[in-house]
Each structure stands twice: as structure tokens, then as C-alpha cells.
Amino acid sequence: MARNEPNIIVTGTPGVGKTTHCDLLAQNTALKHLPINHIVTQRNCHYGWDQSLQSWIVDDDKLLDSIEDEVKQGGYIIDWHACDLFPANWIDLVVVLRTTSANLYDRLKARDYPEEKLQENIDSEIMQVLLEEARESYDLEIVIELQSNVAEDMDSNVDRIETWIKNWKRNKSGNAD
């Protein structure tokens, strides 16, 4: 079934601004925000809680089964810190948000992240783990890296993604003016 609306993944290390970007995009477009962390808990798509990392141990298969019918219809902004588990044929654009180590440290510290989890996420950002994951999992032409350091970055990023959505729809309808 051909989709009339694109599916977009907004990914990045915790603290880069994924949810804020997704909320604004959903508000400004016809797309629906799909926060995977909420789906994991609401639909019981996990094996349990990891106390040391203060996070759920996600059951990837159950998660994908849980969202498949919705996402295949199109029109979703998938908000999660990982992207490689989502089938490539579900996804039209992958946005990898990045920020500086100093910003990330401050944001995660403000969230009271345990030191081990804080350091793991800073290391992941420094090593570009999620950017590389996206590049290895999807066609390079649909993966974009955007900076998310200040409020102006978010406004610019949302404008850029909204323009991409309009172009995607125009190309799908055959009106490539």
C-alpha cells in the first residue's frame, strides 16, 4: 500500500531534543508523533526494568509488531534514541539530531541521569554512534544530521523538515513543479 504521508525517524542521543522537535513537527504538520518510549511502557513491549541504567529492556519484536499496522499507513514521526530496528521500507527520512558534549552533559545532569548512564550517552554522542547506525541501516540519501544546540537550531531544523515533507508529498502526487 502506497503511503500518502511520509514516516520520519527523529533519533539521537537522549538529551539532544528529539521529543521537542517531534512535538513541534506534529503541531505544524499532519504527521503524528509516535514516542517509542511511551509505546514500550503503554503496550508492555519490554522484558523489565534495568535498575542500573534506569531504563526498560525493550522487546524489539514485540515493539515492531505493536506499531507495524499504524506505521505502514504512513504519517508518523518516530521519536526514539535508536533507529536500526525499524525496517527500511517503513521509513522515508531519518533525522539524526546532534549536540555538543557540554550541552548534552548539562541536559542529562538536569534530568538527574545516573553517572554511568550520563557517561555512556556522552560517549555515544562523541563517537557518533547513532549517526553511524543510521548511515549503516538506511540509504544515505534519506539520512540527515542536524545540530540541536540552541533554540534557533530547533526552529531551523523544523523548517527544514517541514520543507522536506512538502517536497515529499509533491513528488508523491506527481506535481514536481
Side-chain angles (χ1 to χ4, degrees), residues 4 10 17 30 37 53 58 76 80 91 100 103 105 110 116 150 162 166:
N4 294 323
V10 177
N37 57 336
L53 291 176
V58 177
Y76 284 91
W80 208 29
I91 306 303
T100 66
N103 278 342
Y105 180 86
E116 177 185 355
V150 294
E162 286 177 16
K166 289 175 190 163

Side-chain angles (χ1 to χ4, degrees), residues 3 6-12 18-19 21-23 25-26 31-37 39 63-64 67-68 70-72 74-97 138:
R3 296 189 302 266
N7 286 322
I8 299 170
I9 296 175
V10 177
T11 190
K18 294 179 299 295
T19 300
H21 277 77
C22 291
D23 284 343
L25 279 167
L31 305 183
K32 296 175 272 316
H33 182 188
L34 191 63
I36 297 299
N37 57 336
I39 299 295
L63 172 63
L64 291 175
I67 65 172
E68 181 175 9
E70 294 162 272
V71 174
K72 280 188 170 180
Y76 284 91
I77 307 163
I78 300 170
D79 169 0
W80 208 29
H81 63 269
C83 65
D84 61 342
L85 72 138
F86 302 104
N89 64 344
W90 291 10
I91 306 303
D92 301 295
L93 180 67
V94 180
V95 177
V96 182
L97 296 176
Y138 301 95

Side-chain angles (χ1 to χ4, degrees), residues 13-16 103-113 117-119 121-122:
T13 307
V16 296
N103 278 342
L104 188 60
Y105 180 86
D106 291 345
R107 292 171 186 175
L108 297 180
K109 199 71 171 164
R111 293 181 182 183
D112 293 323
Y113 267 44
K117 188 173 180 179
L118 190 148
Q119 196 56 54
N121 283 300
I122 289 175

Side-chain angles (χ1 to χ4, degrees), residues 144-160:
I144 61 171
E145 174 186 3
L146 299 176
Q147 294 301 308
S148 179
N149 293 306
V150 294
E152 292 79 15
D153 289 343
M154 184 177 62
D155 294 337
S156 172
N157 293 343
V158 168
D159 287 346
R160 182 173 174 182

